[in-house]
Amino acid sequence: MPRFFTQGVSGDTIIITGGDAAHIGRVLRMAVGDELVVCDTGTDIEYYCRIAAIAPDAVTLAVDRAQNSAAEPDVRVHLYMALPKGDKLELVIQKAVELGVCDVTPILTRRCVSRPDAKSLAKKQDRWQKIAAEAAKQCGRARIPAVRPTLDWTAALDELAGQPMSILFYELGGAPLRTLLAGASADIAIVVGAEGGFDESEVEQALARGVKTATLGRRILRCETAPLCALSAIMYETGNLD
């Protein structure tokens, strides 16, 4: 069933406008009486609707029923991903959304080879957010995870220090992830490096700010594999892959 997102639903009628309205009428060629789902991203409620009227710039929906989404995990995982080369981050964002990530923040670390300028980053962020939205629709999420503006390492550390639990995945060692998750709250920030991993000084800075280090086993994972492995393990350990 086609899925669309909005905020602030009230009453028994929902009006879809803009690009989504055009997509419903012109691309999907839906008609009066067809069914679709609208997610109120502010409440995680899904509204199952029927199309009551279609105009070129607006689609009017009648709400049949509303229910809480079962697709949103009860743990909020915030992914901080060092900017990799090429389009690897696009894959990470798509799959991370499918796995239940809360938001994604690209970061610039010492070993990042890719260093786009501000204009390029703005364009990339728009594309990354669209990828997140499409992935959320495809996998049945009730929320569209945000792809946040790119941060430098210092700014990222400031945010990580303020999280209840922050875990940096380090190829040179750390605690077993399961051990760290035993004391975790509903908010968990995870940090993954780019192709060259983290500089030792960055790891020391993170430890000094209260960030924990963890391993993902005995094998060295590619930078695009590591965050997806970590997310899968966290969702499993917290009961969100039942």
Side-chain angles (χ1 to χ4, degrees):
M1 192 178 294
R3 179 174 293 260
F4 297 88
F5 294 87
T6 190
Q7 281 189 314
V9 174
S10 62
D12 297 326
T13 300
I14 299 173
I15 298 177
I16 302 294
T17 59
D20 282 343
H23 187 73
I24 290 170
R26 298 173 190 170
V27 179
L28 297 179
R29 297 186 179 277
M30 300 184 77
V32 171
D34 287 346
E35 299 178 326
L36 52 77
V37 179
V38 175
C39 299
D40 187 339
T41 59
T43 63
D44 290 351
I45 296 177
E46 298 174 334
Y47 294 86
Y48 288 77
C49 308
R50 289 174 290 104
I51 296 177
I54 295 182
D57 58 351
V59 177
T60 303
L61 309 174
V63 177
D64 287 335
R65 72 181 192 279
Q67 65 184 41
N68 289 324
S69 172
E72 291 302 313
D74 57 12
V75 60
R76 294 179 293 273
V77 181
H78 311 277
L79 170 60
Y80 290 76
M81 177 76 194
L83 202 59
K85 294 186 290 186
D87 58 0
K88 293 176 184 177
L89 187 56
E90 295 183 4
L91 172 69
V92 171
I93 290 169
Q94 182 188 65
K95 302 308 177 187
V97 170
E98 292 178 25
L99 288 167
V101 78
C102 179
D103 49 55
V104 179
T105 305
I107 60 176
L108 288 169
T109 60
R110 185 166 295 180
R111 294 182 181 174
C112 285
V113 175
S114 177
R115 293 184 177 275
D117 59 25
K119 185 176 180 180
S120 297
L121 275 175
K123 289 183 179 179
K124 286 178 178 289
Q125 187 179 352
D126 287 342
R127 175 165 173 75
W128 293 333
Q129 190 61 64
K130 289 177 182 177
I131 290 170
E134 289 303 316
K137 291 178 182 178
Q138 180 274 324
C139 70
R141 295 282 300 267
R143 289 179 178 264
I144 300 176
V147 180
R148 302 174 63 232
T150 301
L151 300 178
D152 63 23
W153 180 238
T154 300
L157 272 182
D158 287 341
E159 291 193 0
L160 293 168
Q163 290 283 0
M165 170 67 74
S166 294
I167 303 171
L168 182 148
F169 291 97
Y170 190 39
E171 66 274 14
L172 296 183
L177 180 58
R178 181 174 294 170
T179 302
L180 295 177
L181 292 177
S185 69
D187 282 278
I188 303 171
I190 61 174
V191 197
V192 179
E195 288 83 358
F198 289 101
D199 184 85
E200 185 177 343
S201 65
E202 292 172 328
V203 177
E204 292 174 353
Q205 291 168 354
L207 290 171
R209 300 295 299 273
V211 178
K212 309 296 184 182
T213 57
T215 68
L216 288 170
R218 300 176 182 178
R219 293 164 298 282
I220 302 298
L221 304 180
R222 289 180 178 272
C223 66
E224 65 269 32
T225 307
L228 306 181
C229 176
L231 272 166
S232 298
I234 291 170
M235 291 301 167
Y236 177 79
E237 290 293 332
T238 58
N240 283 286
L241 285 182
D242 294 346

